[in-house]
Amino acid sequence: MSSLALAVRHDHLSELTRGQELPLPALDSLHIEIILALLQRAYNELKIDLPHAVATGDEKHVTGLMVDRLNHLVGADPVASLLIRAVSRGAETKNYDATRFEMRPDIQISLTGRQHLFPLIVECKLLDTPNRKTVDLYCHDGLARFSTGDYAWTNREALMMAYVRDGATISSHLHPYLDVASKRTPAEYAVVSLPGRCAPSLPDAAISDHGRYFTYVHGSHVGKAPGDIRVWHLWVR
């Protein structure tokens, strides 16, 4: 890569993170649990109002419905509106070294306590084993993006959401899958801690911690490691 191209990439990163110390401070766990409950509520309401769409729609269709319902809920819920500015789908962003400019996380939640350029990222996946939507894809095409620096590279946390259609649970499918992955050399998905139950009011939610394979490449952050990322998993059915 030419020195000019490299300089342009670093200019983009420096402008994005202007005045910020990376990684950003961790979000309060209670606030994330409130957001998880809001995601669960949005899905539950859609199941009642649009059962066929939720039961048969593809991942993009269901996620689009989720984003619209979430924005309605935020507007009507005084607690949620204290935390959340807006929810968007597929907004373009860049990865940690700006080699990829057209990254599009499934859901981006803009928070009132944080600059809108640094949303909370939610990656969504269908789980439907008969149709080859498996926990392997959930991890390979979703969870892995946080360790490689594609998504949430400025943050200390991210969310994964599964639309479950085959009876899978975090304890029966995700935990054993990551347990095996953690014992490989090197550990796959940079597993630091296996999924542990969280948000007891929710039917199926857990937290896992993962290392990250990159260091920052721009400005005063050059060579700095981002540290582990905490991933909150919500599986709805």
Side-chain angles (χ1 to χ4, degrees), residues 74-200:
V74 169
D77 187 323
V79 174
S81 64
L82 289 174
L83 291 174
I84 299 171
R85 286 195 184 98
V87 184
S88 59
R89 175 180 172 271
E92 187 175 294
T93 185
K94 55 185 72 70
N95 70 337
Y96 81 97
D97 64 356
T99 54
R100 303 176 71 185
F101 266 76
E102 297 182 352
M103 307 303 297
R104 297 182 182 275
D106 292 322
I107 299 177
Q108 300 186 45
I109 300 176
S110 178
L111 304 170
T112 57
R114 179 176 285 180
Q115 224 275 5
H116 75 280
L117 293 169
F118 309 107
L120 179 63
I121 302 299
V122 187
E123 266 296 277
C124 304
K125 292 288 176 254
L126 275 174
L127 285 181
D128 186 3
T129 300
N131 290 302
R132 300 183 180 179
K133 303 292 186 180
T134 64
V135 70
D136 179 72
L137 293 179
Y138 175 92
C139 292
H140 185 269
D141 295 343
L143 181 60
R145 295 182 183 274
F146 301 121
S147 286
T148 59
D150 280 349
Y151 295 159
W153 53 272
T154 62
N155 301 357
R156 296 178 190 265
E157 61 283 300
L159 272 58
M160 287 287 304
M161 186 170 186
Y163 310 129
V164 181
R165 293 179 179 169
D166 62 0
T169 66
I170 291 174
S171 61
S172 68
H173 284 66
L174 182 62
H175 190 285
Y177 183 86
L178 289 180
D179 187 29
V180 171
S182 71
K183 294 171 182 173
R184 297 191 176 109
T185 304
E188 198 171 4
Y189 307 112
V191 176
V192 174
S193 69
L194 295 170
R197 191 84 170 89
C198 72

